[in-house]
């Protein structure tokens, strides 16, 4: 297929581009700068210049492709709601030109903050109506309008070595924060857990969702490894960096975690059982702890 990929030069998107090309697809990647365009071309893909607010460009990319994978997001989490709204409008714009076709669009979401079902976040967990996870709402609306839309919900910690060095979503942000402050912290008892997924495994899931995904399907990009509790994660950081580990009250937390406080409180015991069964996905890359040990400490 000819696949239009937004966020094609990003941490996850660049892995998606590589995965698609290796598996015989043609890729057109959205680039908002010449630097991004250069990296996309070097990967072997074509380039379409534009950004998430260039709705006409997004529609052109979607219209001229056989399928769409949307991984772009403005990663300023201190203004999450504004950027989530821009994301929603981008998804709606691309979806509009896919109506009446059999073209697939795979949207990006997250597992963090979703409701638990029998103590777990499963593929049946849906973002509540009041949630600011607007990509979930946009994907659901497209599905109900007949668009072949599915969503890949990423773990809070998407990790792995990339061309620009080791990165890892919120997990590595927390490790870097602890290193800067000389203290590894968690909130309360720290029993809440966060799953993780390697960027290469996530990229495979995006491809499978594009090729085989069902309309309205929710897929959880969660590794098979036992997730760390926030206390265990802080203790690991403390041990590796030889810094103190401390429990903070909810009142003390914002001074340490700032805008991440809300996210750090969340419990995310997510599962991937349905995702593996329906798509034949099998995450097999190094665990988060192995990668963290190799690249960060």
């Amino acid at each position: 297929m000819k696949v239009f990929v937004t966020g094609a030069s990003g941490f996850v998107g660049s892995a998606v581009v590589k995965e698609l090309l290796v598996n015989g697809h043609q890729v057109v990647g959205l680039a908002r700068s010449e630097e991004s365009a250069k990296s996309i071309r070097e990967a072997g893909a074509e380039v379409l210049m534009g950004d998430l607010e260039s709705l006409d460009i997004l529609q052109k990319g979607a219209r001229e492709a056989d399928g769409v994978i949307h991984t772009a997001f403005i990663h300023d989490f201190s203004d999450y709601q504004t950027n989530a709204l821009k994301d929603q409008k981008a998804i709606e714009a691309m979806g509009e030109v896919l109506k009446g076709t059999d073209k697939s669009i795979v949207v990006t979401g997250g597992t963090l903050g979703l409701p638990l079902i029998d103590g777990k976040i499963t593929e049946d967990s849906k973002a509540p109506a009041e949630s600011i996870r607007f990509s979930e709402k946009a994907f659901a609306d497209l599905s109900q309008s007949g668009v072949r839309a599915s969503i890949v919900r990423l773990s809070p910690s998407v990790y792995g070595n990339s061309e620009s060095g080791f990165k890892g979503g919120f997990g590595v942000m927390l490790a870097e924060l602890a290193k800067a402050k000389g203290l590894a912290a968690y909130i309360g008892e720290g029993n809440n857990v966060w799953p993780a997924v390697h960027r290469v495994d996530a990229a495979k899931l995006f491809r499978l969702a594009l090729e085989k995904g069902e309309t309205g399907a929710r897929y959880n990009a969660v590794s098979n490894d036992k997730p760390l509790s926030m206390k265990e994660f802080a203790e690991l950081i403390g041990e590796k960096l030889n810094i103190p580990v401390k429990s903070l009250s909810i009142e003390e937390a914002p001074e340490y975690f700032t805008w991440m406080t809300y996210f750090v409180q969340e419990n995310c015991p997510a599962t991937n059982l349905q995702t593996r069964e329906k798509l034949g996905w099998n995450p097999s890359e190094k665990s988060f702890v192995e990668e963290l040990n190799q690249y960060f400490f």
Side-chain angles (χ1 to χ4, degrees):
M1 287 186 282
K2 180 179 181 180
V3 187
F4 178 47
V5 179
T6 69
S9 63
F11 182 59
V12 174
S14 59
V16 169
V17 169
K18 184 175 181 180
E19 173 70 16
L20 290 170
L21 292 171
V22 165
N23 283 276
H25 297 294
Q26 179 186 354
V27 177
V28 178
L30 184 71
R32 65 176 187 228
S33 68
E34 284 303 324
E35 183 181 1
S36 294
K38 182 174 181 288
S39 68
I40 293 168
R41 289 191 187 99
E42 288 176 348
E46 298 174 37
V47 171
L48 181 63
M49 297 300 297
D51 58 30
L52 278 188
E53 295 181 82
S54 308
L55 301 186
D56 56 335
I57 298 296
L58 295 177
Q59 290 186 322
K60 173 181 168 63
R63 186 182 297 110
E64 296 178 356
D66 301 312
V68 178
I69 295 181
H70 175 57
T71 68
F73 191 81
I74 301 170
H75 289 95
D76 177 4
F77 292 101
S78 62
D79 192 14
Y80 179 85
Q81 185 161 353
T82 297
N83 294 324
L85 278 169
K86 291 178 181 178
D87 186 44
Q88 179 181 359
K89 290 178 180 177
I91 295 166
E92 290 170 345
M94 290 185 287
E96 189 62 33
V97 301
L98 299 180
K99 289 179 180 178
T101 76
D102 191 40
K103 296 179 181 180
S104 174
I105 179 170
V106 185
V107 170
T108 303
T111 54
L112 200 64
L114 294 176
L116 275 59
I117 298 176
D118 296 329
K120 299 286 185 181
I121 292 171
T122 75
E123 290 83 353
D124 295 322
S125 299
K126 300 178 182 179
E130 67 276 10
S131 172
I132 58 172
R133 287 200 173 284
F134 299 130
S135 63
E136 284 251 351
K137 181 182 185 304
F139 135 80
D141 289 347
L142 287 185
S143 300
Q144 290 165 12
S145 69
V147 176
R148 190 180 156 203
S150 61
I151 187 168
V152 169
R153 285 106 66 99
L154 295 172
S155 297
S157 292
V158 182
Y159 63 93
N161 192 28
S162 72
E163 294 74 15
S164 57
F166 177 65
K167 298 180 182 179
F170 286 140
V172 168
M173 286 183 192
L174 291 175
E176 291 175 342
L177 180 65
K179 189 173 186 178
K181 288 183 174 285
L183 173 71
Y186 58 94
I187 300 174
E189 296 182 358
N191 292 331
N192 57 312
V193 299
W194 275 12
V197 68
H198 197 285
R199 63 191 286 268
V200 171
D201 284 326
K204 291 176 182 176
L205 179 53
F206 275 104
R207 175 181 62 79
L208 289 169
L210 178 82
E211 294 172 345
K212 303 194 293 184
E214 299 175 358
T215 300
R218 295 169 170 84
Y219 302 114
N220 288 352
V222 175
S223 76
N224 296 328
D225 303 308
K226 181 180 180 294
L228 293 174
S229 71
M230 296 308 290
K231 181 181 180 182
E232 290 170 334
F233 183 49
E235 289 173 341
L236 172 66
I237 296 171
E239 176 188 350
K240 295 296 183 180
L241 296 180
N242 194 27
I243 56 177
V245 178
K246 184 180 179 181
S247 168
L248 302 178
S249 69
I250 192 61
E251 292 77 22
E252 296 171 316
E255 184 178 349
Y256 180 93
F257 291 109
T258 62
W259 61 266
M260 283 194 286
T261 303
Y262 167 78
F263 300 101
V264 175
Q265 296 176 69
E266 290 294 304
N267 188 31
C268 190
T271 66
N272 66 10
L273 182 60
Q274 292 182 44
T275 299
R276 288 189 286 117
E277 288 179 347
K278 290 180 178 179
L279 294 180
W281 180 61
N282 182 34
S284 57
E285 296 294 323
K286 288 180 181 178
S287 72
F288 179 58
V289 172
E290 288 174 318
E291 283 270 343
L292 205 63
N293 282 335
Q294 183 173 352
Y295 293 108
F296 189 79
F297 299 120

